[in-house]
Each structure stands twice: as C-alpha cells, then as structure tokens.
Amino acid sequence: MSEKEPAPGALALIEALVNTLDVETGADTLGTADGRAAFGLTEPEVPDARELREALRTACLAHAGHRSPDDAAATLDRLLAEAPLRVTVDAAGAAALRPVTEPAGLTARVASAIATAAAEGTWARLKACEAEDCRWAYYDRSPAGRRRWCSMSVCGARAKMRTYRAKRG
C-alpha cells in the first residue's frame, strides 16, 4: 500500500475506487456501508462498481507496462460507454466533460475523471503496483514515469529481495 499522497484532481476518485479492495487480504470496503457511502453507492450498485473497479485496475496495470487481455479493455470501454456525459463551457470559455445528471453516478464520474486526466496528460501515470499480492493503485510522480511499485520500501524491497535470493540460491 502506498504511503504517497493521493493522485491529483479527479484521478483521486479512480485511485480510491481501485484501492477499495486489498488484494493481499481480500478485504473489500465496498461491502461495508461506509465504503459504499464514500462513493455514493447503494448496495444493489456494488456488483457494477466492483466490475468497474477491476476494469480500472487492469487499465492501471497496463499503464505500468503489463499487457492486459483485449476483453479487459473492452469491459472498461463498454462500462464507460454507458456513462452519460455532456460538454459544458463556462463563462471564461473553458470546456469540460460533465455527467449529464446530478447527482452523477459512479461510472459517469469515473468517465469524466478519465477524460479530464487524459486531456491533462495525467491518466497514464495512474498505475497499479507490480506486486501480485498488492496491485494497489498509485500515482507515479517520478520524473521518468517508470515506477513499478506503490511503495519502494515495501513492495519494491520484497521484489528486490526475491531477485537477490534467486541469484544466490
């Protein structure tokens, strides 16, 4: 789990959603009332939110250089296609994508966040930890954009120790 600050702007929503599942322990905060409330979800909406979460995790893994199956990308594409968005222009002439309805559903908020981050050039820096027992989402603030783990002191250190032991063993 990352000790870094949350992703910037609207990406914080996606990072928080992906991180509702602790892969190592299996703890899923979407299964709790507080966890659902954090995203404005009702209990019947949880299965769709979980599907969206895992499709987003796959995209974050792809950002970190892990090839995802074509059907995983198709799943995220299908889910986002169902998000009703519209273009708005403010008094200063700035354009933005916004959910059509208020309060906006989770998928529409995620779609808007992705579109905004893509326009800002930050979407590809939202990644998932390379460690198979972690897969925590984190925002890569490194200058080269090549971080592999959410935490060098935990996941990175474990990976490097495994490599070291394999060479010695």
Side-chain angles (χ1 to χ4, degrees), residues 62-65 124-127 138-149:
H63 292 166
R125 285 198 175 242
L126 188 62
K127 299 178 179 183
Y138 66 92
Y139 187 77
D140 184 354
R141 287 183 168 78
S142 68
R146 293 192 173 147
R147 268 183 62 196
R148 297 171 56 192
W149 301 286

Side-chain angles (χ1 to χ4, degrees), residues 36-70:
R36 289 187 298 275
F39 297 96
L41 295 171
T42 63
E43 198 164 343
E45 294 171 315
V46 169
D48 291 340
R50 285 181 173 140
E51 182 181 26
L52 178 61
R53 174 186 66 198
E54 295 314 311
L56 289 166
R57 184 184 319 279
T58 300
C60 291
L61 282 166
H63 292 166
H66 298 274
R67 175 114 168 87
S68 62
D70 290 337

Side-chain angles (χ1 to χ4, degrees), residues 19-22 27-36 39 50 53:
N19 292 341
T20 59
L21 175 66
D22 183 329
D28 184 351
T29 60
L30 291 180
T32 68
D34 287 344
R36 289 187 298 275
F39 297 96
R50 285 181 173 140
R53 174 186 66 198

Side-chain angles (χ1 to χ4, degrees), residues 1-27:
M1 292 183 203
S2 178
E3 69 275 359
K4 305 288 183 192
E5 63 186 88
L11 284 179
L13 168 69
I14 297 169
E15 181 182 49
L17 178 60
V18 172
N19 292 341
T20 59
L21 175 66
D22 183 329
V23 172
E24 187 173 20
T25 66

